[in-house]
Amino acid sequence: MLAIHGGDPYKTTPFGSGKRFGGKELAYLEEALAQNTLFYSSGRFVKRFAEAFAGLYGMPYCVAMSSGTAAVHTALGVLDVGPGDEVIVPPVTDMGSIIGILYQNAVPVFADIDPHTYNITPEAIERAITPRTKVILLTHLAGNPCDMDPIMALARQHGIYVVEDCAQSYMTYYKGRLVGTIGDIGCFSTNDFKHISTGDGGMCIMRDQALYEAAVLFTDKGYNRFATNTLQMRTVDRLCMNYRMAELQGAVGLAQLEKLPWICEQRGRLGEALTERITGIDGLSPHRVEAGNRSSFWFYLLRIDANAFPGGNARFGEALKAEGIPVEIGYIGRCIYTYALFHNGAMQAHFPYAEDAFPYRDGLCPTAEQVLAECIKVPINEYYTQQDIEDIAGAIHKISEARGSL
Ligand SMILES: *Cc1c(COP(=O)(O)O)cnc(C)c1O
């Protein structure tokens, strides 16, 4: 009997868990404090963290900063995104992808996603391109890569930059290449919910030296610390932010990086195992990773067709929770373009878009809306065991077989 009807829960053992921070973090923190400075430019740890991250990604440059939101804003800032420029972006992402666009007085143009990978599609991007498009800002959602080859081809054809928001996608491979290294700038977050944590933090990686130097300045009030005298240092020529990372975060980040490949490897393996066990269930769509790609499963999003399961994702999710599987019903609730900030008058007066030209309303991205209405978010953790995955899959099968009684 299903647990929601009083049967025994399917999951009887606790999920695997573990400590994220340990002796290495503590040792580096002590070393950082012993420097007698916590300022990135005087100390060693933010530099070492950025160098190690660049090395892991095989990139010449990395700038560490205060958040993933800061990383996206910095990327757009150094690419000279300005008033009236359009930035194509998916509607299923974090506000951190959108804030930088608005602070540059640019216009977010939302393009729809794929119903199975949940990533922005090349077709939707192509339809959204106009002569004002300056950047395609991709989110590789939940560890899963966007379809980069056709997107890069579109960008080249139209002379548009590509910024990759990889906040949810560490060590994610698109056809053998790490995402974050394919577009012009890759952006990451080390907030406490990501694959690795520095409490808060972010990084930009890039190949272009001029973009790198501009990003260092953008995150440090425009002060040019490459300069050799104070006057030169304080010749500020662009409006910048203070998005600096402090040495304590750099120290923790450096220690966290050593675990990152293992974390992503585990999550990738566990997510793939779940897909293997729940493929072929009528009315249930697994989280698709296209052939040749590797997801590092920040989470696992499946979809429940309400025509096949009475009560849809809400009822299915409740049933899963009752079986002892800690899922969330839905993901971000609603598409970002329905957020109230786009509909208040002050916003419209300050930002260069007209409601008519950019109707931020329900119906704008139908697939994204359908995905959000049908999805269940299953957490994946690097400490989960194969048994945990078997139990998640087993509970899903149990509910599917008893769907008539939901
Ligand atoms: C977490 C996240 C961000 C923002 O990161 P913060 O460090 O919280 O500012 C941006 N984009 C995406 C896709 C995210 O998941």
Side-chain angles (χ1 to χ4, degrees), residues 50-361:
E51 274 162 25
F53 192 69
L56 187 62
Y57 270 75
M59 292 289 274
Y61 302 112
C62 171
V63 185
M65 60 196 83
S66 55
S67 72
T69 305
V72 172
H73 188 189
T74 298
L76 299 177
V78 301
L79 292 172
D80 274 327
V81 170
D85 288 339
E86 294 173 12
V87 177
I88 297 173
V89 68
V92 179
T93 185
D94 184 83
M95 261 315 279
S97 312
I98 311 299
I99 290 168
I101 304 173
L102 299 175
Y103 268 94
Q104 290 305 110
N105 290 305
V107 180
V109 176
F110 293 95
D112 212 348
I113 62 173
D114 179 88
H116 298 289
T117 66
Y118 317 125
N119 280 322
I120 194 168
T121 66
E123 296 73 25
I125 291 172
E126 186 164 25
R127 282 195 298 273
I129 290 174
T130 77
R132 304 180 78 115
T133 307
K134 183 105 179 206
V135 173
I136 301 166
L137 171 52
L138 308 163
T139 296
H140 302 288
L141 198 78
N144 198 20
C146 295
D147 192 4
M148 292 306 290
D149 282 346
I151 293 173
M152 293 308 295
L154 276 173
R156 277 192 211 101
Q157 185 191 332
H158 293 273
I160 303 169
Y161 297 115
V162 174
V163 173
E164 298 178 75
D165 183 342
C166 310
Q168 306 185 359
S169 292
Y170 283 95
M171 311 297 292
T172 289
Y173 289 91
Y174 173 77
K175 297 186 180 174
R177 298 169 70 192
L178 280 166
V179 306
T181 68
I182 302 171
D184 295 282
I185 301 180
C187 304
F188 295 81
S189 162
T190 54
N191 87 19
D192 206 47
F193 307 101
K194 310 302 192 196
H195 291 74
I196 52 170
S197 168
T198 61
D200 271 306
M203 295 85 82
C204 285
I205 55 175
M206 62 286 276
R207 291 178 205 286
D208 185 282
Q209 185 179 353
L211 287 180
Y212 164 71
E213 289 173 3
V216 173
L217 269 61
F218 194 87
T219 55
D220 194 1
K221 302 187 278 195
Y223 292 163
N224 183 356
R225 293 186 203 278
F226 301 106
T228 47
N229 65 67
T230 306
L231 193 62
Q232 204 190 356
M233 183 192 106
R234 291 191 178 242
T235 307
V236 175
D237 60 4
R238 187 205 301 262
L239 180 61
C240 296
M241 305 297 287
N242 178 352
Y243 282 155
R244 296 184 306 224
M245 178 180 271
E247 286 290 281
L248 297 176
Q249 293 152 291
V252 173
L254 186 62
Q256 289 273 290
L257 276 190
E258 295 173 18
K259 301 167 200 171
L260 182 59
W262 175 81
I263 291 169
C264 295
E265 178 61 31
Q266 287 298 105
R267 285 172 174 260
R269 206 173 48 70
L270 294 165
E272 284 163 17
L274 182 56
T275 296
E276 206 171 284
R277 294 280 287 101
I278 63 172
T279 294
I281 297 175
D282 180 42
L284 184 148
S285 307
H287 200 152
R288 182 182 295 167
V289 181
E290 296 292 355
N293 295 346
R294 192 91 210 274
S295 171
S296 57
F297 287 96
W298 190 49
F299 55 80
Y300 192 107
L301 207 63
L302 50 84
R303 269 176 44 217
I304 299 294
D305 180 354
N307 296 315
F309 289 95
N313 66 333
R315 186 69 179 154
F316 198 102
E318 290 309 330
L320 264 176
K321 285 191 221 175
E323 298 296 342
I325 312 300
V327 298
E328 284 171 40
I329 295 159
Y331 171 42
I332 58 167
R334 296 168 62 80
C335 284
I336 289 208
Y337 51 75
T338 67
Y339 288 8
L341 92 155
F342 290 112
H343 303 282
N344 75 43
M347 179 80 179
Q348 282 162 26
H350 281 94
F351 289 99
Y353 65 80
E355 264 273 64
D356 303 346
F358 302 99
Y360 295 121
R361 282 193 283 276

